Amino acid sequence: MTPETDPARPRENAPLTLPPELLEAVQRIAGTEHLLIAMDFDGTISPLVDHAGDARPLPRSAAAFAELSALPRTTTALISGRALASLRAVASPPDETLLIGSHGAEAWLGPGSAPLTLDPEQLEILADVRSILESIVELAPGTLLEEKPAGVVLHTRLAEDDVAEDAVSAARTALQDREGVYLKNGKRVLETSVVHASKGEGVDFLRQATGATAVVFAGDDTTDEDALGRLGPDDVGIKVGLDFTQAQFRVEAPVHVAELLETLLRERRRAVESPS
């Protein structure tokens, strides 16, 4: 059975209905003075895939997100664990969209944004981390490494469960007490970084930089909980998937995020184009 014929997997063009309480929240927040729509990418706008380079946004999500980017008093942003270069390559974001990459370590607010730079000590620590993880990957079939400007990611999605568990355990044992190294668990990944950052800090940074009066954020991974935890009573947080969350609302899959963005577009357009 293919994903396209699996009855348990919602099709992108299938009729969907968001929970009534989420619809009410979208209608409320759409009227705010300056709306920040900050979205995770993988597992949220794009379905999860085995190979990171194959990820692409669902067409409905990409179209609604682009139209939201063009509305007055509305800012769109992507907040991702990906490095900025990888995020741009797979997401093809609108020119107006702000970008936070590497779990908050990288930021792009438009032309002239300064790139992330590491000091000599951080570069030395990063080289040691890379060496340790390379030795683990050599012994763990199906695991691989991804380079980022401030870290290295251990991917285990293609490994057998026991191999993945052993690889992550070995990496944690080797690195968890190393000064200047920061670890984050994700879905079949272990993130390492020599810069302390989080998606929560990314949300706070974007809120301040844009002057947003309310924020919509959606994400699927454990690292997105940092961002969801920074939201206030006037914001709307959405968990994608069935994992534990502190978000107010939940949808099942990226296809539901497409419906969320289309609904938000309709309500926000109505709000900003209505006569004062």
Side-chain angles (χ1 to χ4, degrees):
M1 180 179 294
T2 65
E4 290 75 15
T5 59
D6 184 352
R9 182 189 181 98
R11 300 186 307 276
E12 191 194 353
N13 60 355
L16 302 168
T17 302
L18 296 177
E21 60 273 17
L22 178 52
L23 285 172
E24 291 176 6
V26 168
Q27 291 166 352
R28 169 184 57 78
I29 202 170
T32 196
E33 176 63 23
H34 191 121
L35 179 61
L36 171 62
I37 303 162
M39 309 293 288
D40 173 45
F41 181 74
D42 294 282
T44 301
I45 288 181
S46 167
L48 291 175
V49 294
D50 288 337
H51 300 283
D54 294 337
R56 294 294 184 275
L58 290 176
R60 284 175 57 193
S61 291
F65 196 68
E67 291 191 58
L68 283 162
S69 300
L71 291 180
R73 308 196 319 271
T74 307
T75 301
T76 58
L78 294 176
I79 302 182
S80 176
R82 287 178 180 263
L84 286 185
S86 171
L87 182 59
R88 286 193 182 95
V90 298
S92 300
D95 292 340
E96 303 89 347
T97 295
L98 308 183
L99 303 176
I100 299 290
S102 299
H103 297 285
E106 296 181 277
W108 186 85
L109 299 184
S113 294
L116 174 68
T117 57
L118 303 180
D119 62 34
E121 182 179 3
Q122 289 173 317
L123 289 170
E124 182 178 352
I125 295 172
L126 182 56
D128 289 344
V129 169
R130 184 183 300 109
S131 178
I132 290 169
L133 293 180
E134 285 174 345
S135 66
I136 292 172
V137 165
E138 288 179 1
L139 301 175
T143 65
L144 55 89
L145 300 182
E146 176 192 358
E147 296 280 350
K148 291 186 179 179
V152 184
V153 185
L154 173 63
H155 287 263
T156 65
R157 189 175 299 278
L158 300 179
E160 297 292 334
D161 289 348
D162 58 339
V163 173
E165 184 177 348
D166 288 346
V168 169
S169 177
R172 279 200 160 275
T173 298
L175 297 173
Q176 63 187 356
D177 295 326
R178 175 71 188 265
E179 186 175 356
V181 177
Y182 307 96
L183 305 180
K184 292 180 183 292
N185 283 321
K187 290 185 177 179
R188 302 291 292 206
V189 299
L190 178 67
E191 301 265 357
T192 75
S193 179
V194 296
V195 174
H196 185 272
S198 72
K199 290 185 179 182
E201 292 170 350
V203 165
D204 288 345
F205 174 70
L206 289 175
R207 190 196 301 270
Q208 182 175 10
T210 61
T213 51
V215 179
V216 174
F217 178 82
D220 75 304
D221 209 342
T222 54
T223 56
D224 295 310
E225 293 298 315
D226 292 331
L228 291 165
R230 299 295 182 99
L231 301 182
D234 294 329
D235 302 325
V236 173
I238 305 102
K239 178 74 170 186
V240 185
L242 303 178
D243 294 339
F244 169 81
T245 186
Q246 56 191 315
Q248 308 141 288
F249 306 104
R250 184 190 298 274
V251 297
E252 184 180 345
V255 65
H256 299 91
V257 176
E259 186 188 11
L260 168 70
L261 290 171
E262 289 170 344
T263 303
L264 185 57
L265 172 63
R266 182 183 67 246
E267 296 297 329
R268 183 60 175 168
R269 180 181 285 144
R270 182 179 300 160
V272 300
E273 294 179 355
S274 296
S276 301

